[in-house]
Amino acid sequence: MKTTLKFVFVITAIIIASAFGVKTDKEGYEIGDAATDFELENIDGSMVSLSDYQDAKGFIVIFTCNTCPYAVANEDRIIALDKKYKPKGFPVIAINPNDPKAQPDDTMKKMQAKAKLKGFTFPYLQDKGQKIYPQYGAKKTPHTYVLQKEGEQYIVEYIGAIDDSSRDASAVKEKYVENAVDALLNGEKPEIKTTKAIGCSIKTL
């Protein structure tokens, strides 16, 4: 009897939550959600949070890594995004979500070497303990989130791929992230809010 009542209670709670639009899963952010801030170690040893950027209008948060061929193919595009949009108030924040125990080429030391080799102009943070990427719902490297700062909140406005050509930069026809940020800078909402992130799975033990 107790088991039956417990089952009925759980089902009722799920129905009520659904009726009132309450999320019952942990799949990450959706468009319009407020992203929580974080504090992660950068390659220079400093701790970086979104709140450090008092003058930012928003952020281009990209989950990427050293090793995935798709991530490597997008490195120059990520650098270009930061160069173009940081002066406009939308800096790139790159986060490596891979567990270095599962992927030894994604250690902090090798992240530092990668950043030096490529001349990264943006923070390259390690998601130590892999606590942040599940909050966002990132599944691939690279996986991009465009956030707009509204007061003390960071509202998710775009989720997905950087553009429509995951491996070949010369074949890009539609620049999803650029279009999203341009729309926000013009006081509009992105026309395309979500796309499929194409890349490697995030490495965990």
Side-chain angles (χ1 to χ4, degrees):
M1 184 58 130
K2 288 184 178 180
T3 301
T4 301
L5 288 174
K6 183 177 180 181
F7 177 77
V8 171
F9 176 79
V10 170
I11 295 299
T12 302
I14 292 173
I15 292 172
I16 291 172
S18 298
F20 285 91
V22 178
K23 285 186 178 181
T24 57
D25 55 42
K26 300 287 185 181
E27 291 299 315
Y29 297 133
E30 295 178 357
I31 300 300
D33 284 350
T36 57
D37 202 353
F38 48 72
E39 187 178 49
L40 297 175
E41 185 178 3
N42 192 15
I43 49 173
D44 64 1
S46 66
M47 301 302 290
V48 173
S49 299
L50 299 179
S51 57
D52 295 335
Y53 295 77
Q54 293 296 317
D55 296 329
K57 298 176 183 177
F59 300 91
I60 302 170
V61 177
I62 303 178
F63 291 89
T64 187
C65 68
N66 289 354
T67 52
C68 172
Y70 294 92
V72 171
N74 277 272
E75 286 171 353
D76 289 338
R77 282 175 268 186
I78 295 171
I79 293 169
L81 283 171
D82 189 58
K83 182 178 180 180
K84 181 175 182 178
Y85 290 107
K86 181 160 57 181
K88 298 181 181 182
F90 277 82
V92 165
I93 306 291
I95 301 174
N96 190 332
N98 285 345
D99 185 339
K101 292 180 181 178
Q103 176 48 272
D105 286 332
D106 280 314
T107 62
M108 175 59 79
K109 185 176 181 178
K110 294 196 174 183
M111 287 171 60
Q112 292 166 340
K114 167 70 73 173
K116 183 178 181 180
L117 175 67
K118 293 297 298 186
F120 284 176
T121 56
F122 46 82
Y124 189 22
L125 314 179
Q126 185 177 55
D127 188 4
K128 189 174 182 180
Q130 299 184 290
K131 297 176 181 178
I132 301 304
Y133 89 80
Q135 292 181 21
Y136 277 73
K139 304 294 184 185
K140 304 290 184 180
T141 52
H143 205 150
T144 306
Y145 294 75
V146 175
L147 312 180
Q148 184 172 39
K149 189 175 179 181
E150 294 184 5
E152 299 301 315
Q153 292 189 313
Y154 310 101
I155 306 302
V156 180
E157 300 287 0
Y158 170 81
I159 302 172
I162 291 172
D163 52 45
D164 64 351
S165 181
S166 59
R167 296 291 291 267
D168 184 1
S170 67
V172 173
K173 295 180 180 178
E174 190 157 10
K175 298 180 178 181
Y176 301 129
V177 170
E178 288 198 23
N179 292 342
V181 177
D182 286 342
L184 295 172
L185 288 170
N186 289 329
E188 303 169 354
K189 294 294 185 181
E191 184 176 342
I192 296 177
K193 296 178 172 60
T194 61
T195 60
K196 182 179 180 180
I198 298 175
C200 304
S201 61
I202 292 171
K203 302 301 184 286
T204 63
L205 285 180

Coordinates of all heavy atoms in Angstrom, one line a residue, residues 37-94:
D37 N 26.3 31.7 -12.9 CA 27.7 32.0 -13.1 C 28.6 30.8 -12.6 O 28.1 29.9 -12.1 CB 28.1 33.3 -12.2 CG 29.3 34.0 -12.7 OD1 30.0 33.5 -13.6 OD2 29.6 35.1 -12.2
F38 N 29.9 30.9 -12.9 CA 30.8 29.9 -12.6 C 32.1 30.5 -12.2 O 32.4 31.7 -12.4 CB 31.0 28.8 -13.7 CG 31.3 29.5 -15.0 CD1 32.5 30.1 -15.3 CD2 30.3 29.5 -16.0 CE1 32.8 30.7 -16.5 CE2 30.6 30.0 -17.3 CZ 31.8 30.6 -17.5
E39 N 33.0 29.7 -11.6 CA 34.4 30.1 -11.3 C 35.3 29.0 -11.7 O 35.3 28.0 -11.0 CB 34.5 30.5 -9.8 CG 35.9 31.1 -9.5 CD 36.0 31.6 -8.1 OE1 35.7 30.7 -7.2 OE2 36.5 32.7 -7.8
L40 N 36.0 29.2 -12.8 CA 36.9 28.1 -13.3 C 38.3 28.6 -13.5 O 38.5 29.8 -13.8 CB 36.3 27.5 -14.6 CG 34.9 26.9 -14.6 CD1 34.4 26.5 -16.0 CD2 34.9 25.7 -13.7
E41 N 39.2 27.7 -13.4 CA 40.6 28.1 -13.6 C 41.0 28.3 -15.0 O 40.7 27.4 -15.9 CB 41.5 27.0 -13.0 CG 43.0 27.4 -13.0 CD 43.9 26.4 -12.3 OE1 43.4 25.3 -11.9 OE2 45.1 26.7 -12.3
N42 N 41.6 29.4 -15.3 CA 42.1 29.7 -16.6 C 43.5 29.2 -16.8 O 44.2 28.8 -15.8 CB 42.1 31.3 -16.8 CG 42.3 31.7 -18.2 OD1 42.2 30.9 -19.1 ND2 42.6 33.0 -18.4
I43 N 44.0 29.2 -18.0 CA 45.4 28.7 -18.3 C 46.5 29.5 -17.7 O 47.6 29.0 -17.5 CB 45.6 28.6 -19.8 CG1 45.2 30.0 -20.5 CG2 44.8 27.5 -20.4 CD1 45.5 30.0 -22.0
D44 N 46.2 30.8 -17.3 CA 47.2 31.6 -16.6 C 47.1 31.4 -15.1 O 47.9 32.1 -14.3 CB 47.0 33.1 -17.0 CG 45.7 33.6 -16.5 OD1 44.9 32.9 -15.9 OD2 45.4 34.8 -16.8
G45 N 46.3 30.5 -14.6 CA 46.2 30.2 -13.1 C 45.2 31.1 -12.4 O 44.9 30.8 -11.2
S46 N 44.6 32.1 -13.1 CA 43.6 32.9 -12.4 C 42.2 32.2 -12.5 O 42.0 31.2 -13.3 CB 43.4 34.2 -13.2 OG 43.0 34.0 -14.5
M47 N 41.3 32.6 -11.6 CA 40.0 32.1 -11.6 C 39.1 33.1 -12.4 O 39.1 34.3 -12.1 CB 39.5 31.9 -10.2 CG 40.3 30.9 -9.4 SD 40.5 29.2 -10.1 CE 38.8 28.6 -9.9
V48 N 38.3 32.6 -13.3 CA 37.4 33.4 -14.1 C 36.0 33.1 -13.9 O 35.5 32.0 -13.9 CB 37.8 33.2 -15.6 CG1 36.9 34.0 -16.5 CG2 39.3 33.6 -15.9
S49 N 35.2 34.2 -13.8 CA 33.7 34.2 -13.7 C 33.1 35.1 -14.7 O 33.8 36.1 -15.1 CB 33.3 34.5 -12.3 OG 33.8 33.7 -11.3
L50 N 31.9 34.9 -15.0 CA 31.2 35.8 -15.9 C 31.1 37.2 -15.3 O 31.1 38.2 -15.9 CB 29.8 35.3 -16.3 CG 29.8 34.0 -17.0 CD1 28.3 33.6 -17.3 CD2 30.5 34.0 -18.3
S51 N 30.9 37.2 -13.9 CA 30.7 38.4 -13.2 C 32.0 39.3 -13.2 O 31.9 40.5 -12.8 CB 30.3 38.1 -11.8 OG 31.2 37.3 -11.1
D52 N 33.1 38.7 -13.6 CA 34.3 39.5 -13.7 C 34.2 40.6 -14.8 O 34.9 41.6 -14.8 CB 35.5 38.7 -14.0 CG 35.8 37.7 -12.9 OD1 35.5 38.0 -11.7 OD2 36.5 36.6 -13.2
Y53 N 33.3 40.3 -15.8 CA 33.2 41.2 -16.9 C 32.0 42.2 -16.7 O 30.9 42.1 -17.3 CB 32.9 40.4 -18.2 CG 34.1 39.5 -18.6 CD1 34.3 38.3 -17.9 CD2 34.9 39.8 -19.6 CE1 35.4 37.5 -18.2 CE2 36.0 39.0 -20.0 CZ 36.2 37.8 -19.3 OH 37.3 37.0 -19.6
Q54 N 32.3 43.2 -15.9 CA 31.3 44.2 -15.6 C 30.7 44.9 -16.7 O 29.5 45.3 -16.7 CB 31.8 45.2 -14.5 CG 32.2 44.5 -13.2 CD 30.9 44.0 -12.5 OE1 29.9 44.6 -12.5 NE2 31.1 42.8 -11.9
D55 N 31.5 45.2 -17.8 CA 31.0 46.0 -18.9 C 30.5 45.1 -20.1 O 30.1 45.7 -21.1 CB 32.2 46.8 -19.4 CG 32.6 47.9 -18.4 OD1 31.8 48.3 -17.6 OD2 33.8 48.2 -18.3
A56 N 30.5 43.8 -19.9 CA 30.1 42.9 -21.0 C 28.6 43.1 -21.2 O 27.8 43.3 -20.3 CB 30.4 41.5 -20.6
K57 N 28.2 43.0 -22.5 CA 26.8 42.9 -22.8 C 26.3 41.5 -22.9 O 25.1 41.2 -22.9 CB 26.6 43.6 -24.2 CG 27.0 45.1 -24.2 CD 26.8 45.6 -25.6 CE 27.3 47.1 -25.7 NZ 27.2 47.7 -27.0
G58 N 27.2 40.6 -23.0 CA 26.9 39.2 -23.1 C 28.1 38.4 -23.3 O 29.3 38.9 -23.2
F59 N 28.0 37.1 -23.7 CA 29.1 36.2 -23.8 C 28.9 35.2 -24.9 O 27.7 34.8 -25.2 CB 29.4 35.4 -22.5 CG 29.7 36.3 -21.3 CD1 28.7 36.8 -20.5 CD2 31.0 36.8 -21.1 CE1 28.9 37.6 -19.4 CE2 31.3 37.6 -20.0 CZ 30.2 38.0 -19.2
I60 N 30.0 34.7 -25.5 CA 30.0 33.6 -26.4 C 30.7 32.5 -25.7 O 31.9 32.5 -25.6 CB 30.7 33.9 -27.7 CG1 30.0 35.1 -28.4 CG2 30.6 32.7 -28.6 CD1 30.7 35.6 -29.6
V61 N 29.9 31.6 -25.0 CA 30.5 30.5 -24.2 C 30.7 29.3 -25.1 O 29.6 28.8 -25.6 CB 29.7 30.2 -23.0 CG1 30.3 29.0 -22.2 CG2 29.6 31.4 -22.1
I62 N 31.9 28.8 -25.3 CA 32.1 27.7 -26.2 C 32.8 26.6 -25.4 O 33.9 26.7 -24.9 CB 33.0 28.1 -27.4 CG1 32.3 29.3 -28.1 CG2 33.2 26.9 -28.3 CD1 33.2 29.8 -29.3
F63 N 32.1 25.4 -25.4 CA 32.8 24.2 -24.8 C 33.6 23.6 -25.9 O 33.1 23.1 -27.0 CB 31.7 23.3 -24.3 CG 31.0 23.8 -23.1 CD1 29.9 24.6 -23.2 CD2 31.5 23.5 -21.8 CE1 29.2 25.1 -22.1 CE2 30.8 24.1 -20.7 CZ 29.7 24.9 -20.8
T64 N 34.9 23.5 -25.7 CA 35.8 23.0 -26.8 C 37.0 22.3 -26.1 O 37.0 22.2 -24.8 CB 36.3 24.2 -27.6 OG1 37.1 23.7 -28.7 CG2 37.1 25.2 -26.8
C65 N 37.9 21.8 -26.9 CA 39.0 21.0 -26.3 C 40.2 21.0 -27.2 O 40.2 21.6 -28.3 CB 38.6 19.6 -26.0 SG 38.2 18.6 -27.5
N66 N 41.3 20.4 -26.8 CA 42.5 20.3 -27.5 C 42.4 19.3 -28.6 O 43.2 19.4 -29.6 CB 43.7 19.9 -26.6 CG 44.1 21.0 -25.7 OD1 43.6 22.1 -25.7 ND2 45.0 20.6 -24.8
T67 N 41.7 18.2 -28.5 CA 41.9 17.0 -29.2 C 40.8 16.7 -30.3 O 41.2 16.0 -31.2 CB 41.9 15.8 -28.2 OG1 40.7 15.9 -27.4 CG2 43.1 15.9 -27.3
C68 N 39.6 17.1 -30.1 CA 38.6 16.7 -31.1 C 38.9 17.4 -32.4 O 39.1 18.6 -32.5 CB 37.2 17.2 -30.6 SG 35.9 17.0 -31.8
P69 N 38.8 16.6 -33.5 CA 39.1 17.2 -34.9 C 38.1 18.4 -35.2 O 38.5 19.3 -35.9 CB 38.9 16.0 -35.8 CG 39.2 14.8 -35.0 CD 38.7 15.2 -33.6
Y70 N 36.9 18.3 -34.7 CA 35.9 19.3 -35.0 C 36.3 20.6 -34.2 O 36.2 21.7 -34.7 CB 34.5 18.9 -34.6 CG 34.0 17.8 -35.4 CD1 34.2 16.4 -35.1 CD2 33.3 18.0 -36.6 CE1 33.7 15.4 -35.8 CE2 32.8 17.0 -37.4 CZ 33.0 15.7 -37.0 OH 32.5 14.7 -37.7
A71 N 36.8 20.4 -33.0 CA 37.2 21.6 -32.2 C 38.4 22.2 -32.8 O 38.5 23.4 -32.9 CB 37.5 21.1 -30.7
V72 N 39.4 21.4 -33.2 CA 40.6 21.9 -33.9 C 40.2 22.7 -35.1 O 40.8 23.8 -35.4 CB 41.6 20.8 -34.2 CG1 42.7 21.3 -35.0 CG2 42.1 20.1 -32.9
A73 N 39.3 22.2 -35.9 CA 38.9 22.8 -37.2 C 38.2 24.2 -36.9 O 38.1 25.0 -37.8 CB 37.9 21.9 -37.9
N74 N 37.7 24.4 -35.7 CA 37.0 25.6 -35.4 C 37.9 26.6 -34.6 O 37.4 27.7 -34.3 CB 35.7 25.3 -34.6 CG 34.6 25.0 -35.5 OD1 33.8 25.8 -35.9 ND2 34.4 23.7 -35.7
E75 N 39.1 26.3 -34.3 CA 40.0 27.1 -33.4 C 40.1 28.5 -34.0 O 40.0 29.5 -33.3 CB 41.3 26.5 -33.2 CG 41.3 25.3 -32.3 CD 42.6 24.6 -32.2 OE1 43.5 24.8 -33.0 OE2 42.7 23.7 -31.3
D76 N 40.4 28.6 -35.3 CA 40.6 29.9 -35.9 C 39.3 30.7 -36.0 O 39.3 31.9 -35.8 CB 41.2 29.8 -37.4 CG 42.6 29.3 -37.4 OD1 43.3 29.5 -36.4 OD2 43.0 28.7 -38.4
R77 N 38.2 30.0 -36.1 CA 36.9 30.7 -36.1 C 36.6 31.2 -34.7 O 36.0 32.3 -34.6 CB 35.8 29.7 -36.6 CG 35.8 29.6 -38.1 CD 34.8 28.5 -38.6 NE 35.4 27.2 -38.7 CZ 34.8 26.2 -39.2 NH1 33.5 26.3 -39.6 NH2 35.4 25.0 -39.3
I78 N 37.0 30.5 -33.7 CA 36.7 30.9 -32.3 C 37.6 32.2 -32.0 O 37.1 33.2 -31.4 CB 37.0 29.8 -31.3 CG1 36.1 28.7 -31.5 CG2 37.0 30.3 -29.9 CD1 36.4 27.4 -30.7
I79 N 38.8 32.2 -32.5 CA 39.7 33.3 -32.3 C 39.1 34.5 -33.0 O 39.1 35.7 -32.5 CB 41.1 33.0 -32.9 CG1 41.8 32.0 -32.0 CG2 41.9 34.3 -32.9 CD1 43.1 31.4 -32.6
A80 N 38.6 34.3 -34.3 CA 37.9 35.4 -35.0 C 36.7 35.9 -34.4 O 36.5 37.2 -34.4 CB 37.6 34.9 -36.4
L81 N 35.9 35.1 -33.7 CA 34.7 35.5 -33.0 C 35.1 36.4 -31.9 O 34.5 37.5 -31.7 CB 33.9 34.3 -32.5 CG 33.1 33.6 -33.5 CD1 32.5 32.3 -32.8 CD2 31.9 34.4 -34.0
D82 N 36.2 36.1 -31.1 CA 36.6 36.9 -30.0 C 37.1 38.2 -30.5 O 36.8 39.3 -29.9 CB 37.7 36.2 -29.2 CG 38.0 36.9 -27.9 OD1 37.1 37.1 -27.1 OD2 39.2 37.2 -27.7
K83 N 37.9 38.2 -31.6 CA 38.5 39.4 -32.1 C 37.4 40.4 -32.6 O 37.5 41.6 -32.4 CB 39.4 39.1 -33.3 CG 40.1 40.3 -33.9 CD 41.0 39.9 -35.0 CE 41.7 41.1 -35.6 NZ 42.7 40.7 -36.7
K84 N 36.3 39.8 -33.2 CA 35.3 40.7 -33.7 C 34.3 41.2 -32.6 O 33.9 42.4 -32.7 CB 34.5 39.9 -34.8 CG 33.3 40.7 -35.4 CD 32.7 39.9 -36.5 CE 31.6 40.8 -37.2 NZ 31.0 40.0 -38.4
Y85 N 34.0 40.3 -31.7 CA 32.9 40.7 -30.8 C 33.3 41.1 -29.4 O 32.5 41.7 -28.6 CB 31.9 39.5 -30.7 CG 31.1 39.4 -32.0 CD1 31.3 38.3 -32.9 CD2 30.1 40.3 -32.4 CE1 30.6 38.2 -34.1 CE2 29.4 40.2 -33.6 CZ 29.7 39.2 -34.4 OH 29.0 39.1 -35.6
K86 N 34.5 40.8 -29.0 CA 35.0 41.3 -27.6 C 34.9 42.8 -27.6 O 34.4 43.3 -26.6 CB 36.4 40.8 -27.3 CG 36.9 41.2 -25.9 CD 38.0 40.3 -25.4 CE 39.1 40.2 -26.4 NZ 40.2 39.4 -25.9
P87 N 35.4 43.5 -28.6 CA 35.3 45.0 -28.5 C 33.8 45.5 -28.5 O 33.6 46.6 -28.1 CB 36.0 45.5 -29.8 CG 36.9 44.3 -30.2 CD 36.1 43.1 -29.8
K88 N 32.9 44.7 -28.9 CA 31.5 45.1 -29.0 C 30.7 44.6 -27.7 O 29.5 44.9 -27.6 CB 30.8 44.5 -30.2 CG 31.4 45.0 -31.5 CD 30.7 44.4 -32.7 CE 31.3 44.9 -34.0 NZ 30.6 44.4 -35.2
G89 N 31.5 44.0 -26.8 CA 30.8 43.6 -25.5 C 30.4 42.1 -25.4 O 29.8 41.8 -24.4
F90 N 30.8 41.3 -26.4 CA 30.5 39.9 -26.3 C 31.8 39.1 -26.5 O 32.1 38.5 -27.5 CB 29.5 39.5 -27.5 CG 28.1 39.7 -27.2 CD1 27.6 41.0 -27.3 CD2 27.2 38.7 -26.7 CE1 26.2 41.3 -27.0 CE2 25.9 39.0 -26.4 CZ 25.4 40.3 -26.6
P91 N 32.6 38.9 -25.4 CA 33.8 38.2 -25.4 C 33.5 36.7 -25.5 O 32.5 36.2 -25.0 CB 34.5 38.6 -24.1 CG 33.4 38.9 -23.2 CD 32.3 39.5 -24.0
V92 N 34.5 36.0 -26.0 CA 34.5 34.5 -26.0 C 35.0 34.0 -24.7 O 36.0 34.5 -24.1 CB 35.3 33.9 -27.1 CG1 35.6 32.4 -26.9 CG2 34.7 34.1 -28.5
I93 N 34.3 33.0 -24.1 CA 34.8 32.3 -22.9 C 34.8 30.8 -23.3 O 33.8 30.2 -23.6 CB 33.9 32.4 -21.7 CG1 33.6 33.9 -21.4 CG2 34.5 31.7 -20.5 CD1 34.8 34.6 -20.8
A94 N 36.0 30.2 -23.5 CA 36.2 28.8 -23.9 C 36.3 28.0 -22.7 O 37.1 28.3 -21.8 CB 37.4 28.7 -24.8

